[in-house]
Amino acid sequence: MTTSRKLIFAGGIILLTIACFPTARIETMMTRKTIKLPEPRHESEVSVERALSERRSTRSYSDEPLRLNDISQLLWAAQGVTDPRGLRTAPSGGALYPLEVYVVVGKATDLSPGVYKYRPREHELAHTLDEDIRSELCRAAYSQSPVKHAPVVMVFCAVYERITRKYGERGMRYVHMEVGHAAQNVCLQAVTSDLRTVVIGAFDDNDVTRVMKLEADERPLYILPIGRPAR
């Protein structure tokens, strides 16, 4: 939405068009820091078949921080751009990409604790919160301990309107298919880096939204704690 204001001076009138955003959104856009991620690798020594065989839901993790390279790789697996046309690692209905991916960082090398939002086109992170919210997020997920103890937690959200405006109510189904594709990509990619995760769908949507300070049109769908398996 835009508004127009007139400035009157001796020589005539200037009409200014000013974009209007909610105050909170303007503050977020102005203060958000960005972190360029390392380039993802496109090959590994672990085959798809081996990753499928070794994938297990894991709820206990070591205290070792995650490397920035590993976080970069996992985010690329989830929603990374793989084609000049903007196509990504996971299929999306109409290539409309309704998913948003956040990373809640507790312990990571070269990345301070806080909440970050992934920007696939730039392969970078936008820093949205400065605090470690894993304990609060754990409570929002009905006190499931992996959310609190994993060094990093990935949160998938959806902006349903991106896809329902084209496909109507059926677009909701496409969103839920897509988040399954993306989460499985993360599960398999984690194995290639000797990491493990578990997919969590039981949480209070309103509490997760509040704790993470999500945008008004974003709905949380999936929580994936990630870390090295406890030995």
Side-chain angles (χ1 to χ4, degrees):
M1 182 176 66
T2 59
T3 58
S4 297
R5 296 182 182 176
K6 292 181 179 179
L7 297 181
I8 302 175
F9 66 108
I13 298 175
I14 297 177
L15 184 64
L16 295 180
T17 301
I18 304 172
C20 293
F21 298 97
T23 302
R25 180 67 65 91
I26 292 175
E27 290 176 354
T28 298
M29 291 168 62
M30 292 178 64
T31 59
R32 186 175 289 170
K33 298 182 293 183
T34 59
I35 298 94
K36 188 66 178 175
L37 291 168
E39 286 299 310
R41 68 177 188 273
H42 295 150
E43 295 181 1
S44 78
E45 297 179 359
V46 180
S47 68
V48 173
E49 293 81 4
R50 178 179 160 192
L52 285 165
S53 178
E54 295 185 7
R55 186 220 61 81
R56 291 292 179 273
S57 296
T58 302
R59 294 178 172 271
S60 297
Y61 310 102
S62 76
D63 204 35
E64 184 180 348
L66 253 65
R67 298 173 300 178
L68 187 59
N69 281 342
D70 291 332
I71 294 172
S72 170
Q73 194 69 33
L74 292 166
L75 288 167
W76 175 82
Q79 283 286 283
V81 174
T82 56
D83 186 279
R85 294 169 294 175
L87 303 178
R88 302 185 187 179
T89 53
S92 178
L96 294 172
Y97 301 111
L99 300 183
E100 296 288 348
V101 185
Y102 286 83
V103 180
V104 178
V105 174
K107 296 180 180 179
T109 59
D110 302 315
L111 202 58
S112 60
V115 179
Y116 301 81
K117 187 174 187 177
Y118 182 48
R119 292 176 171 170
R121 289 176 184 154
E122 299 83 7
H123 194 57
E124 66 184 18
L125 292 173
H127 197 173
T128 62
L129 285 176
D130 288 326
E131 56 187 307
D132 179 358
I133 64 163
R134 288 176 300 164
S135 293
E136 292 88 344
L137 188 60
C138 176
R139 286 193 287 271
Y142 306 123
S143 298
Q144 295 182 75
S145 60
V147 179
K148 180 178 180 180
H149 297 300
V152 167
V153 181
M154 189 178 293
V155 180
F156 284 94
C157 301
V159 179
Y160 284 102
E161 291 78 8
R162 288 181 195 162
I163 200 163
T164 56
R165 67 168 63 104
K166 178 175 182 179
Y167 295 111
E169 185 177 348
R170 195 170 185 84
M172 305 279 285
R173 182 183 299 188
Y174 298 159
V175 171
H176 300 154
M177 291 176 181
E178 183 172 341
V179 75
H181 301 323
Q184 178 71 342
N185 282 0
V186 173
C187 291
L188 297 178
Q189 184 72 82
V191 173
T192 72
S193 300
D194 194 27
L195 300 170
R196 294 296 185 272
T197 184
V198 60
V199 289
I200 292 177
F203 50 81
D204 185 291
D205 291 20
N206 292 330
D207 284 349
V208 171
T209 298
R210 175 184 53 79
V211 167
M212 295 192 60
K213 295 182 171 56
L214 299 178
E215 304 286 359
D217 56 357
E218 294 175 343
R219 301 290 181 268
L221 294 179
Y222 241 168
I223 297 175
L224 280 76
I226 302 168
R228 304 200 183 280
R231 304 300 184 186

